[in-house]
Amino acid sequence: SDGSIRLHQMTSEYPLMQWNDSTNGQPVIALQWALTRPAVFFVLDASSNIYIWDLLENDLLPVAKQTIPSENVVTMALLGEPEKTNGLLGIALAKEAGQIDIQYVKKKWAVP
């Protein structure tokens, strides 16, 4: 609820990494690892901002932020086929009014 993100290992109760205030204090609505690239994850906050984290590029800050204008996004899901190396990775965004928006991610964050 405070925008912090913690990366845990299954064998320990203590986080390996913790990023405080990673969304400028906005609650995290959804977080999902990329299906095609293991070091990348996506975070959706309560202000309809999507943050892209690539831990191989920068493990302190997100590498990109995209604001979804005009309407609140209530959840997201990633689309892709991990067994294929074509680099196609999409994000399905569910908006408050019931619309679904699908956007494709740049290949640099999708290619294994």
Side-chain angles (χ1 to χ4, degrees):
S1 64
D2 64 357
S4 64
I5 298 171
R6 294 176 196 90
L7 176 65
H8 284 267
Q9 185 176 1
M10 296 296 287
T11 57
S12 174
E13 65 184 278
Y14 302 104
L16 294 172
M17 297 280 295
Q18 181 168 328
W19 299 278
N20 294 322
D21 200 32
S22 64
T23 59
N24 296 318
Q26 289 296 315
V28 172
I29 302 298
L31 186 149
Q32 190 171 353
W33 287 99
L35 301 170
T36 57
R37 188 174 171 100
V40 174
F41 64 92
F42 297 79
V43 176
L44 171 67
D45 74 11
S47 294
S48 299
N49 296 304
I50 297 174
Y51 302 84
I52 302 173
W53 290 76
D54 184 344
L55 299 179
L56 296 178
E57 186 177 326
N58 187 341
D59 63 358
L60 299 176
L61 299 168
V63 294
K65 175 184 171 185
Q66 178 68 48
T67 301
I68 307 301
S70 74
E71 194 175 340
N72 286 342
V73 177
V74 293
T75 194
M76 71 173 182
L78 294 179
L79 313 166
E81 298 178 88
E83 64 279 353
K84 293 190 177 177
T85 59
N86 60 9
L88 284 179
L89 180 65
I91 303 177
L93 304 169
K95 297 185 176 182
E96 198 169 49
Q99 298 169 319
I100 303 288
D101 187 17
I102 297 177
Q103 298 185 6
Y104 286 98
V105 176
K106 288 183 180 181
K107 285 196 182 276
K108 71 178 183 175
W109 297 311
V111 173

